[in-house]
Each structure stands twice: as C-alpha cells, then as structure tokens.
Amino acid sequence: MLDFSFYDPPIEVAAGSPRLEMIVARLKAAGLRPYVASEKLDFSVADPLLVDVDSASPQTVTHLARAAMIGMPRQIVLVNTAGAQVPRIEGAVHLRQDKDLSTLRSRLAALARRGSRQREAAIRRESAQELGARLPPVDVDAVPALLYLGDGSPFFLSLQGALRQREVELTAAFSRPTARQHMASKRFAAALIDLSMAQEDAGGMGRWISEEDGLAGLPLIVISRPQAEYTERELALLSHASEIIDPAEDDDVIVSIIETLCRRLHANAPMMPLPGLSTLKVTDLVSGLFTRGFFEAHLPRQMQVAHEQAEAFSVLTLRLDVDAAKSLPAQKAAGEVIRRLIRDTDFAALAEPGVFVISLPATPYRGGVRLAERIADGFSRAGDAAGFSWRVTERRNYHTPQTLLSTALIGPFVRARIAA
C-alpha cells in the first residue's frame, strides 16, 4: 500500500521521552507529519512548533519565553497546559490534555483560514484604492449579525439575551432551508455551532458549511467540547472553522469572546461588490460581481500572497452557452448563483459577456473542480436552463498574472452536464 503521509502538514515537536513517542504517534493519527525538534529552536521556520510543557527541557521553555517577549512569526502549540505555568505567547494554541491532540490539525487549519481572510481583506482594499474607489471607514458602532446553527438549547436562549445587550444580533436556523433563507435576506458576520450543546447530528450541521447550500462563504465559529472524543464528522467541522472557542471558561467570558469575534469579522470582512459601496471601476452592475479591470489589478497581489505563504492558488473560469451569454437576465442570474456559493475570500468577476472568472486563494485544482460542481448544482436548483462549461487553472511557478489569466480564459473547457 502506498504511503501518502508525506503530504500531511509538518509540525516540529519539542518533548522528552517517553512522552515524545506518544505525542508523535497521536499527531500521526491526527493527520500531521511530526519531526523531532533540534536542541536549539529556530523560530524563523514556517512549520508550527509543538512544545510539551510536561517533558520539554527547562532550557527549551526559557528559550521559548524569551522569543515570545521579542515577538516571533512562528505558530506555537503548547500541550498539557491545564494548571501549568506557561509563557504568554500571542496567538499560541493551548491544548489542555493529550487527547486534545486529535483536534490540532483542525485548529491549525482554522488559524490558517483566519490569516488568509485577513490578508485578502487587506489587499482587496489596496486594490480598490489603487483604482480610485472611495471606501467608507469602518463603523465601530455597527451591529454585527450572527447565525446560530442548531436547535434552541437553553444555552442559545441565554446567549441570545446576553448578545442583544451587547448589540449583537443573533438569529437561529434549525434546518438547512431556514439557514439559506436567512442568508438570502441578510449578511451575517459569522455562523456559530455549539458542539458542547449539539445533538448527534452535529456532523450533519457541519455539512451546511462545507457543502453546497450557500453557507460555504460564511466564517464559522465553533464552541468545542471539553475533554471529548470527536467523531470524524465533528473533526471535519472543526477543520472548516474560522475560529474555535474552548468552553473551559464561564458563560460571560464565552459571550465576550463571541462578541469580539463577531465585531472583528464584521469589520475585517473582505470588500464585496456592492454598487453603493464602490465605483463602476470595481463593480459590474449587470452580474453584481467585480469588473475585469478590478480582477486584473487584484490578481498580482493575490499571487504574491500565495507565493509568500507557499499556498495553492487557482482560477476557475465559467463560460455560458452562446445564447445565454447574450442575455442580460441570464448573466445576472449566473452572478447571483456564483455570489451565493463562493467564500468571501474568493474573488469573482465578469471577464466578458457570458464569461466569469473566480480566483481561489489557498485552493488547489481539485477545490476549484468542487466549486464548479457546486455552481452547476446551484444552477439546477435555481431552475436555470442555461448551459455552461468550466475550466480550472492552478498557479505554477512560471505563471505571471497575465499568463495565468490568459491560460484560464482559453480552452479546453469541461461541460458541466455531459448528458442533460
């Protein structure tokens, strides 16, 4: 049998035997690729560093504390922090017990997703300002909206009252159709799932986020379960999260964390193509997406970020059939489907009549294919008879912004429906 563990995300481990062997085994079972740390830690390495508080040498802990004082770019994970004196490290992941190692890959994925969203929001504003778009300042008094996924537990009722006092609007969705209806009428800062209160169908709720029901673009806040053995579906749900809250704190602290996250996500959301928000250089009024000029101005920044972060980057091209490409209603309907199904970090534009391009940060080829299939299903559910074809182009080292876009716009294209 072939061993594909080489493709698992790497992580450096600083621990002493026999705990080192146990931690390495658990990390491998969690889908990570651990390797033993050297005696002198290097904080310029891109891989995360895991430090076991129980068995790491005093010199390692001291070195870590000093590096934290001066600031360091490396992601740190501290294990067995329950009741232990640990260094104060900005952005560090704290795992109270060994069993929490099973969630580490999901937690690291959540941190990576948060970073990707923040970077995209920043460079999107830079690109818009470069084109002369006047963007409004951030409203610190804005009322963010939060979508609660799940049944109305007692925690939901108390959370709703507490957040209302803090001027955060909370709406509950007990089913996927209800969630879609809420999403169609309002823009939410995030969705919230409480695993500590969820029933056995929590993994099913996770599919609302990870699949094709219009929620894939919404940041997800997950309240985890303390000292829990997670199912595969729950781990997959955690991996789709933008933020993970440890429920070890009391309810007031959790409410404060949720309020902070909602306001931050609302304020730092990537700019969207709303006609009232920007100039005609940015927004295409027919499709409701961005213009080609804005796409061409923004693509170099996205590719530079992908290069710096060593991330995958793809461009999905959708081409309507000839008759639909000449129809303004068909282009508007296609734009609505695309806007509903992409993430807020995905950048969708009308390249030419009937041709749409979507840049996909941190997304390999297969991710672009899945999005194309979701859009095809979205067309079907919307009752749109217009046919289309698609093409996914993944960035290579030899691509420039011009060659990547030109490659994405030429054939061959794949038919979405082979036998309609």
Side-chain angles (χ1 to χ4, degrees):
M1 180 180 295
L2 296 177
D3 182 10
F4 293 102
S5 60
F6 177 81
Y7 295 101
D8 293 337
I11 183 169
E12 189 173 6
V13 180
S17 295
R19 286 187 53 80
L20 174 62
E21 289 73 17
M22 180 273 295
I23 290 174
V24 167
R26 292 201 176 195
L27 290 175
K28 289 181 178 179
L32 293 166
R33 180 162 50 90
Y35 60 94
V36 180
S38 58
E39 292 186 8
K40 187 169 181 60
L41 298 177
D42 183 358
F43 293 102
S44 64
V45 178
D47 301 339
L49 170 65
L50 183 147
V51 177
D52 178 43
V53 176
D54 278 358
S55 64
S57 66
Q59 294 81 1
T60 296
V61 176
T62 301
H63 192 198
L64 180 65
R66 290 173 179 171
M69 292 176 187
I70 63 176
M72 53 188 172
R74 194 170 188 185
Q75 178 62 57
I76 302 299
V77 180
L78 299 174
V79 181
N80 265 339
T81 60
Q85 293 290 333
V86 296
R88 294 180 59 86
I89 303 175
E90 182 71 23
V93 176
H94 290 253
L95 303 179
R96 296 194 310 273
Q97 297 184 348
D98 295 336
K99 64 171 55 179
D100 294 332
L101 288 168
S102 63
T103 68
L104 181 55
R105 180 169 181 170
S106 299
R107 290 175 180 270
L108 294 176
L111 290 173
R113 186 171 293 105
R114 180 205 302 173
S116 178
R117 190 172 188 269
Q118 292 173 341
R119 289 189 294 270
E120 176 62 24
I123 64 174
R124 196 171 291 187
R125 293 183 71 90
E126 292 175 4
S127 299
Q129 291 169 353
E130 180 182 292
L131 293 180
R134 296 182 179 179
L135 304 180
V138 175
D139 183 6
V140 297
D141 296 320
V143 178
L146 179 65
L147 183 63
Y148 184 95
L149 303 181
D151 58 7
S153 64
F155 175 76
F156 165 75
L157 298 177
S158 63
L159 182 65
Q160 186 178 41
L163 289 178
R164 185 182 293 115
Q165 292 179 354
R166 298 166 182 252
E167 297 187 353
V168 176
E169 182 181 337
L170 182 62
T171 303
F174 305 140
S175 65
R176 281 192 287 185
T178 304
R180 287 200 301 269
Q181 291 173 5
H182 289 318
M183 287 284 292
S185 60
K186 183 185 303 182
R187 185 178 182 187
F188 292 90
L192 173 67
I193 290 181
D194 180 16
L195 287 183
S196 65
M197 295 290 181
Q199 303 298 322
E200 293 181 356
D201 63 346
M205 289 189 297
R207 291 199 301 273
W208 302 3
I209 296 294
S210 60
E211 293 182 359
E212 53 276 350
D213 286 289
L215 298 177
L218 194 60
L220 176 63
I221 302 172
V222 175
I223 302 178
S224 63
R225 283 204 308 267
Q227 305 177 15
E229 294 291 342
Y230 290 96
T231 65
E232 289 295 328
R233 284 187 173 182
E234 288 173 339
L235 288 174
L237 187 152
L238 288 171
S239 69
H240 285 282
S242 301
E243 308 282 350
I244 299 176
I245 299 176
D246 192 329
E249 307 289 348
D250 57 35
D251 289 352
D252 289 340
V253 174
I254 291 178
V255 170
S256 297
I257 294 173
I258 292 175
E259 179 195 5
T260 301
L261 292 176
C262 286
R263 293 191 180 280
R264 185 178 301 161
L265 289 168
H266 179 81
N268 297 330
M271 186 192 72
M272 303 304 290
L274 301 178
L277 185 65
S278 51
T279 67
L280 294 178
K281 294 181 180 179
V282 171
T283 303
D284 176 72
L285 298 182
V286 174
S287 64
L289 303 176
F290 291 119
T291 62
R292 177 167 179 167
F294 191 17
F295 187 91
E296 291 178 342
H298 188 57
L299 185 62
R301 286 187 171 90
Q302 288 187 308
M303 293 180 64
Q304 180 63 29
V305 169
H307 175 73
E308 293 173 353
Q309 299 296 318
E311 293 177 339
F313 183 84
S314 300
V315 174
L316 168 62
T317 310
L318 302 168
R319 187 187 297 273
L320 298 181
D321 287 349
V322 176
D323 293 337
K326 300 176 182 178
S327 169
L328 294 183
Q331 294 186 65
K332 181 179 180 180
E336 291 175 353
V337 172
I338 292 171
R339 193 166 58 249
R340 188 173 68 250
L341 293 177
I342 61 176
R343 305 166 297 183
D344 58 4
T345 53
D346 298 336
F347 195 95
L350 181 69
E352 57 189 68
V355 180
F356 304 88
V357 287
I358 310 171
S359 61
L360 308 172
T363 304
Y365 176 85
R366 60 185 179 184
V369 172
R370 290 186 61 188
L371 177 58
E373 293 171 345
R374 289 202 301 268
I375 292 175
D377 291 340
F379 269 61
S380 299
R381 288 198 301 269
D384 195 332
F388 71 94
S389 54
W390 54 268
R391 172 182 174 86
V392 177
T393 308
E394 187 171 356
R395 180 189 70 93
R396 303 301 181 193
N397 289 334
Y398 54 79
H399 276 138
T400 66
Q402 294 76 19
T403 59
L404 178 61
L405 180 57
S406 61
T407 303
L409 291 174
I410 63 175
F413 283 76
V414 178
R415 294 297 303 181
R417 301 177 181 85
I418 302 300

